[in-house]
Amino acid sequence: MIKESETRNPNPRPIPKIVKDFDGVEVILTINEKLIACWTMYQNLQHLYGAVFHTTFERLSFLIDMTNGGVYRYNNKKFDLLRDGSTLYLLRKNGRREWKAVYEDGVFNVSRGNWLMESCQRSGSNNNYKVFTIRRGIIIRDHQLIVLFRDGAVGLLGIGDDRHYEVNHFDRNTNNNSPSNLILGTKKENQDHRIENLDILSIIKLPNGELGFNL
């Protein structure tokens, strides 16, 4: 087995203060802890194999599936990441040195509250977006992070409360965070997309058990 490095990017670029949008217009970023954390994860992003990527922020490390947009995390103070061929393992650093396969045959094996975890928290008006907390006060939506990894610095314009862009789900399924399903655009562009696709609206069951429209 090979131990994967948790080394951070030794030559990270500082977070840009100004980012050009898709029209070439310069947008001044409001730098905050959330943007800095996301940019740090982008700077530390490493390709493992296939569509699987790895990144780190402080005590948390992340495994990213850039096929389906899965975001998985583990505590790098408690676990080492090992690789054997195309299988990934977590090895507990202390105690009995337990280990567990967390990725094999193209599938991530998650466990709630321990080992490899996925985003179980929710945000948004209908609690329909997957999010995770990396530190007190810093909550990040999975789909915003996937767009940043896909598009680079322009993806910063889709993160935060005063964001320049919004991330829209092309098929209207907010659980589908596949990079090919995510559209980074203005609020008006996303509203137009909803109107153009009214014919595919459906009733869905929300995480709280209530019924709602797949808007």
Side-chain angles (χ1 to χ4, degrees):
M1 291 188 185
I2 301 173
K3 181 180 176 182
E4 292 293 340
S5 174
E6 298 288 350
T7 303
R8 280 67 168 171
N9 185 340
N11 300 300
R13 290 178 290 152
I15 185 169
K17 296 179 180 179
I18 297 175
V19 174
K20 287 185 178 180
D21 68 11
F22 292 128
D23 295 318
V25 177
E26 293 186 340
V27 180
I28 299 175
L29 288 179
T30 302
I31 307 298
N32 53 39
E33 287 191 326
K34 179 183 290 188
L35 280 185
I36 292 173
C38 290
W39 184 249
T40 300
M41 284 186 276
Y42 174 68
Q43 292 283 283
N44 289 334
L45 194 65
Q46 300 177 41
H47 179 234
L48 294 184
Y49 49 80
V52 180
F53 289 76
H54 175 274
T55 190
T56 301
F57 179 75
E58 296 180 349
R59 65 180 178 82
L60 292 178
S61 289
F62 298 82
L63 294 172
I64 310 295
D65 188 333
M66 289 300 286
T67 296
N68 62 25
V71 177
Y72 310 91
R73 68 191 185 281
Y74 63 92
N75 189 327
N76 56 51
K77 301 300 182 184
K78 296 181 179 180
F79 300 100
D80 285 323
L81 180 66
L82 307 178
R83 174 158 58 123
D84 183 12
S86 59
T87 302
L88 295 175
Y89 298 87
L90 285 182
L91 173 66
R92 194 183 296 275
K93 291 183 176 181
N94 301 319
R96 295 178 295 173
R97 304 282 288 179
E98 301 173 275
W99 57 275
K100 179 178 181 179
V102 294
Y103 178 81
E104 53 185 340
D105 299 325
V107 177
F108 285 92
N109 302 316
V110 299
S111 56
R112 196 180 185 98
N114 201 2
W115 297 90
L116 188 69
M117 297 171 284
E118 63 180 340
S119 301
C120 295
Q121 296 171 275
R122 296 281 178 162
S123 73
S125 57
N126 292 319
N127 291 325
N128 50 352
Y129 297 116
K130 292 181 179 180
V131 303
F132 59 91
T133 301
I134 56 175
R135 193 202 295 157
R136 184 181 177 87
I138 305 180
I139 299 175
I140 299 172
R141 295 182 178 185
D142 286 17
H143 63 269
Q144 294 176 342
L145 195 63
I146 293 297
V147 167
L148 175 64
F149 291 162
R150 184 193 69 189
D151 295 344
V154 70
L156 292 171
L157 300 180
I159 301 173
D161 296 333
D162 58 347
R163 52 188 177 272
H164 179 75
Y165 285 139
E166 293 182 349
V167 179
N168 191 26
H169 292 73
F170 182 78
D171 66 358
R172 317 308 311 141
N173 178 5
T174 54
N175 289 311
N176 180 5
N177 289 328
S178 168
S180 62
N181 189 51
L182 302 178
I183 305 170
L184 188 62
T186 65
K187 184 175 183 178
K188 183 181 185 305
E189 288 171 336
N190 287 336
Q191 288 174 339
D192 290 344
H193 176 77
R194 293 186 181 97
I195 294 172
E196 290 169 0
N197 291 275
L198 284 176
D199 58 324
I200 63 171
L201 288 179
S202 60
I203 295 176
I204 59 173
K205 189 173 184 179
L206 302 173
N208 62 8
E210 298 180 356
L211 297 180
F213 288 104
N214 187 20
L215 297 175

